[in-house]
Amino acid sequence: HPRVRFAALHAIGQTSSDQSPYLQETHHQLVLPALIRLMDDPVTRVSSHACAAFVNFAEETEIDALLPHIPSLMEKLTQKMVLPERVIREQAITAIAVIAGVVEAEFVPYYAQVVPMLKQTVLTATDHEERALRGKAFECLSLLGLAVGRDVFQQDAKEAMQAMMETAGAGLEDDDPQKRFIHEAAL
């Protein structure tokens, strides 16, 4: 049942934070495949929560445990970046940012595929309800830049900074989530 799957994912996500790094070190061989499988759940709420639980789990996972799963993860997550449901797009972008942060330079083979999608999100996610999505795209771009290094990111960094400056310069409401993401990206 979807509610049971959702609750189980919530428990995994919370336990990943509360019992880190023990859970990741001792159970990554069981947890990662389960989370990856549940990213394909037909219920959007469940599949997006699988991405969120993955974020909690992967933040403290060692690179060697995560690397074998990167090809299937990136295939799934890039597909989710173009789905119409905003919540799944947000979670996929956050998951990609975490992957890049963990694997760093090993992310380079995926960089050219992901960055145009993030730029497209920045350009098109302009509605009021898409502000968090756009902010997460800004954040992900900056984290990808840190992961892959200056040489790979240099040209895209200019474009990302230009878009962030234009957004910030246009005036953001006090409660606009983009403000926090742009501030963190600029640090």
Side-chain angles (χ1 to χ4, degrees):
H1 193 276
R3 288 185 186 143
V4 174
R5 294 191 304 275
F6 182 88
L9 287 164
H10 188 77
I12 290 169
Q14 187 64 50
T15 305
S16 296
S17 297
D18 294 347
Q19 300 299 318
S20 171
Y22 171 78
L23 183 66
Q24 290 83 345
E25 291 171 357
T26 58
H27 299 292
H28 65 86
Q29 293 157 323
L30 293 172
V31 175
L32 281 172
L35 293 174
I36 294 167
R37 188 175 59 255
L38 284 165
M39 287 179 186
D40 290 329
D41 196 279
V43 178
T44 300
R45 188 168 182 246
V46 174
S47 64
S48 67
H49 214 51
C51 292
F54 169 81
V55 166
N56 288 10
F57 189 84
E59 286 177 326
E60 298 299 326
T61 301
E62 294 293 325
I63 185 172
D64 293 336
L66 195 54
L67 275 176
H69 302 283
I70 301 299
S72 62
L73 278 164
M74 291 306 299
E75 182 180 343
K76 288 177 192 295
L77 294 170
T78 54
Q79 290 172 2
K80 292 185 180 312
M81 287 178 68
V82 295
L83 292 176
E85 297 90 357
R86 187 179 71 250
V87 66
I88 193 70
R89 293 171 62 201
E90 289 176 5
Q91 294 298 339
I93 289 171
T94 302
I96 289 170
V98 168
I99 290 168
V102 171
V103 303
E104 296 179 337
E106 299 290 334
F107 193 83
V108 170
Y110 305 99
Y111 180 85
Q113 178 186 12
V114 173
V115 168
M117 297 171 86
L118 290 169
K119 288 180 184 179
Q120 186 65 26
T121 299
V122 167
L123 290 174
T124 60
T126 56
D127 290 344
H128 185 77
E129 61 273 358
E130 294 177 312
R131 296 178 306 171
L133 173 64
R134 191 165 193 249
K136 286 176 185 266
F138 282 138
E139 179 186 45
C140 188
L141 280 166
S142 69
L143 293 171
L144 293 183
L146 288 173
V148 300
R150 177 182 300 211
D151 293 339
V152 175
F153 187 58
Q154 190 167 5
Q155 182 58 42
D156 295 314
K158 292 175 186 172
E159 294 177 38
M161 285 303 296
Q162 171 105 19
M164 284 188 258
M165 297 300 288
E166 288 174 7
T167 300
L172 298 173
E173 297 173 21
D174 289 339
D175 67 340
D176 192 327
Q178 292 179 96
K179 187 182 282 189
R180 176 176 56 91
F181 289 117
I182 290 171
H183 177 73
E184 290 176 18
L187 294 178

